[in-house]
Amino acid sequence: MYVAAVKIKIRFVISFSLKDKRMRLRSLKDKFASKFKVQLTEVELQDNKNFAILGFSLVSGSYSVAEGIEGKMIAYIEDTCEDEIVDIDSYIEKF
């Protein structure tokens, strides 16, 4: 079994409050969940109005399948996110 984990840091250039940030995140998370049936979760910097760190993971029986799905999910976020993606960390590990 292979486990893929992804952590994405996003900078919100135009965000005046935590409410603005959460509205923008909700939109991105809802689009992601409807497309892939996977939850995108804010895992760090919840109280920072200009940055968010989001994460998701997936499990597969094959390394190549995990890598392919992970790549599609990352590409979708890069295409869909209207804010600045600062960093993306990902890894796949045999469990």
Side-chain angles (χ1 to χ4, degrees):
M1 166 169 79
Y2 293 89
V3 177
V6 178
K7 189 163 90 169
I8 302 160
K9 185 173 185 180
I10 298 174
R11 179 175 172 254
F12 298 94
V13 180
I14 302 173
S15 180
F16 301 108
S17 67
L18 287 174
K19 186 175 180 179
D20 288 341
K21 171 189 164 180
R22 290 187 180 124
M23 286 187 339
R24 297 176 77 86
L25 280 178
R26 187 175 308 118
S27 173
L28 178 63
K29 291 178 355 180
D30 290 347
K31 289 176 190 175
F32 189 81
S34 68
K35 173 83 173 170
F36 294 105
K37 308 297 186 248
V38 171
Q39 293 299 313
L40 188 61
T41 305
E42 187 174 9
V43 294
E44 292 179 45
L45 303 177
Q46 288 91 339
D47 292 333
N48 187 315
K49 68 176 181 153
N50 294 321
F51 289 92
I53 296 182
L54 306 175
F56 68 87
S57 63
L58 63 103
V59 176
S60 176
S62 164
Y63 181 88
S64 61
V65 171
E67 184 178 45
I69 294 170
E70 177 191 62
K72 287 179 186 176
M73 291 175 163
I74 290 171
Y76 182 80
I77 290 173
E78 290 174 334
D79 293 342
T80 306
C81 185
E82 298 173 0
D83 297 291
E84 178 186 354
I85 296 176
V86 177
D87 189 29
I88 298 177
D89 291 326
S90 66
Y91 71 92
I92 300 174
E93 186 173 312
K94 187 172 183 173
F95 186 72

